[in-house]
Amino acid sequence: MTTETSLAHGRSYLAIPGPSVMPDEVLRAMHRAAPNIYSGALIDMMPGLLADVRRVARTKHHVAMYIGNGHAVWEASLANVVGPGDSVLVPSTGHFGTSWAGMAESLGVTAHVLDFGKRAPMDLERVADTLAADKAHEIKAVLAVHVDTSTSVRNDIAGLRQVLDAADHPALLMVDCIASMGCDAFEMDAWGVDVAMTACQKGLMVPPGVGFVFFNDRAAARRAEMARVSSYWDWTPRAHADSFWQYHCGTAPTQHMYGLRTALDMIHAEGIENVWHRHEVLAEAIWVACEAWGKTGPFELNIIERAHRSRAVTALRLQAPYATALREWTQSRIGLTLGIGLGMVASDDPNWHGFFRLGHMGHVNGQMIMGLLGGMQAGLRALDIPHGEGALDAAAEVIARG
Ligand SMILES: *Cc1c(COP(=O)(O)O)cnc(C)c1O
């Protein structure tokens, strides 16, 4: 390919499931000289930041902020409520459930994994049976992933709460909302979630670097019973800091705080329910396009039933080596980066090249999604990948209806 034939010059578009597209407003807010950490705006900002991120999680309870990514808040959340010798139940619907279970194991916790495969949500009846069998209440927490970013399945968290209540089981309900928060509707308090966590680089639209653990009084009571919690991971001083340094157990993530302030302002100016609706419509535009492409040929959505699909990420199947070929074409020819498949097959398996994902989380709008789909359509044509017709019209119809 020569430079002349490339249509990649122009603004690039990273359509992967995190990090997501960063708004210019967020980047501008971060671009400043190192602020004073002893007094002034940065310190005054902290209570408002925590209040406004709680509004995104729809909780009136507590929140602790951590410098770190999603893996950091996985560990932070576990470290406050379980320890060596404890057991947790992990109904897993993809790579992230299994990985979180692995992290629990690495902390000396026994993780009972119920594996629901890679194309289905958790089966709540099987979860109910497992909880009913745990008469001694050895399971201290149920670890659920709201949206598993590898499979793009969206799990029924309110339903999982009902299962715990029906079994009269005291295990904490802990939910990974790293992919979903600020994209797919999530209601921490109304759904009875005890601990939820997210990181800033997906629906929150801030470069990777900070995460949040939300916890209610039941979870705080469990924390109080713990024999020990590392002073770094302990959520108590972070959530109820007496001095500024305690919010972060050390130096504050200065630039991130400004970026987050701006991102939260954008989210609340739009309204969180409108944010959810925007993701819903844009996801539907993607679904109808993908369904049209799949009418003939190998293109397939990983999650067949719409009710079980995330509004933030879409996992796709496109017979090896087409998926990799399409990704490479859009990246090099038109400046559009699509996500790699994750956790479907081993990376040295030739079939690895038959999976890819689209991120549509955070700062995305109608014209970007039409551009994403139009770019994919061009790639399918350029590479002679068999596909059904009418994808872009179908997507346009959804966008037109709003
Ligand atoms: C992205 C993601 C993670 C991991 O986050 P990192 O920031 O990469 O550590 C965990 N769970 C889910 C559901 C995710 O989408």
Side-chain angles (χ1 to χ4, degrees):
M1 187 187 68
T2 64
T3 329
E4 293 84 68
T5 62
S6 171
L7 302 174
H9 300 277
R11 191 165 193 132
S12 61
Y13 178 7
L14 186 71
I16 72 172
S20 62
V21 174
M22 313 297 165
D24 288 344
E25 295 91 321
V26 168
L27 297 175
R28 273 199 300 272
M30 297 177 77
H31 189 109
R32 62 177 65 223
N36 186 356
I37 60 164
Y38 303 126
S39 64
L42 202 68
I43 291 170
D44 299 341
M45 196 191 294
M46 208 49 215
L49 274 186
L50 295 186
D52 287 344
V53 79
R54 282 201 305 261
R55 288 167 63 203
V56 178
R58 306 279 264 201
T59 180
K60 297 211 170 340
H61 296 289
H62 319 283
V63 61
M65 183 167 168
Y66 293 87
I67 296 179
N69 57 16
H71 285 74
V73 290
W74 271 353
E75 175 153 355
S77 58
L78 291 170
N80 278 276
V81 292
V82 286
D86 287 337
S87 292
V88 295
L89 179 64
V90 188
S92 173
T93 57
H95 171 81
F96 288 96
T98 317
S99 297
W100 196 13
M103 179 180 275
E105 292 271 351
S106 76
L107 294 169
V109 174
T110 303
H112 301 286
V113 177
L114 290 179
D115 192 345
F116 298 108
K118 297 177 168 125
R119 304 195 75 172
M122 51 179 80
D123 175 351
L124 294 178
E125 276 182 30
R126 270 184 66 199
V127 178
D129 292 345
T130 309
L131 290 172
D134 180 34
K135 302 248 183 307
H137 292 167
E138 276 173 6
I139 296 168
K140 299 295 178 221
V142 177
L143 275 46
V145 177
H146 184 209
V147 164
D148 195 301
T149 322
S150 63
T151 56
S152 71
V153 77
R154 187 187 58 164
N155 287 299
D156 176 6
I157 301 302
L160 184 56
R161 172 83 263 166
Q162 284 164 13
V163 163
L164 275 154
D165 289 349
D168 206 11
H169 199 292
L172 294 175
L173 174 55
M174 302 177 66
V175 183
D176 169 346
C177 298
I178 298 168
S180 56
M181 196 170 287
C183 308
D184 281 278
F186 175 77
E187 302 270 5
M188 174 162 167
D189 293 353
W191 294 355
V193 173
D194 297 304
V195 178
M197 69 229 60
T198 197
C200 69
Q201 78 272 24
K202 299 189 185 181
L204 295 181
M205 313 183 290
V206 175
V210 299
F212 300 91
V213 178
F214 306 89
F215 57 99
N216 66 11
D217 291 336
R218 282 188 76 216
R222 180 69 58 78
R223 156 69 193 92
E225 289 163 10
M226 292 284 287
R228 70 178 67 80
V229 174
S230 112
S231 59
Y232 186 76
W233 289 134
D234 194 354
W235 63 31
T236 320
R238 289 173 183 264
H240 308 287
D242 293 321
S243 9
F244 182 65
W245 74 271
Q246 290 180 307
Y247 284 117
H248 308 286
C249 195
T251 306
T254 48
Q255 260 60 14
H256 270 77
M257 287 174 58
Y258 280 98
L260 191 64
R261 181 63 269 163
T262 299
L264 290 170
D265 286 343
M266 291 173 71
I267 288 171
H268 292 309
E270 182 178 355
I272 187 66
E273 287 168 12
N274 296 330
V275 171
W276 294 340
H277 177 72
R278 173 167 51 85
H279 282 84
E280 177 102 31
V281 174
L282 297 178
E284 196 190 335
I286 290 171
W287 300 342
V288 296
C290 293
E291 285 159 1
W293 283 323
K295 275 193 199 124
T296 56
F299 203 108
E300 204 187 338
L301 283 125
N302 187 53
I303 302 298
I304 308 294
E305 268 193 62
R306 287 190 176 194
H308 300 150
R309 289 182 194 156
S310 163
R311 276 75 175 148
V313 52
T314 298
L316 296 162
R317 300 171 162 245
L318 185 57
Q319 187 191 309
Y322 287 145
T324 296
L326 180 65
R327 277 195 307 102
E328 287 175 351
W329 189 91
T330 61
Q331 160 94 38
S332 63
R333 296 301 182 98
I334 61 168
L336 168 66
T337 304
L338 309 176
I340 59 167
L342 185 65
M344 291 300 185
V345 291
S347 56
D348 55 0
D349 182 329
N351 288 321
W352 187 87
H353 299 286
F355 300 94
F356 71 116
R357 292 174 302 157
L358 309 178
H360 34 102
M361 42 180 54
H363 195 55
V364 283
N365 60 24
Q367 57 92 9
M368 292 166 75
I369 297 303
M370 287 308 294
L372 164 67
L373 297 171
M376 289 169 63
Q377 174 77 65
L380 292 170
R381 289 250 156 125
L383 298 168
D384 276 331
I385 299 173
H387 61 275
E389 295 297 322
L392 296 183
D393 269 343
E397 182 64 35
V398 172
I399 302 275
R401 280 202 320 265

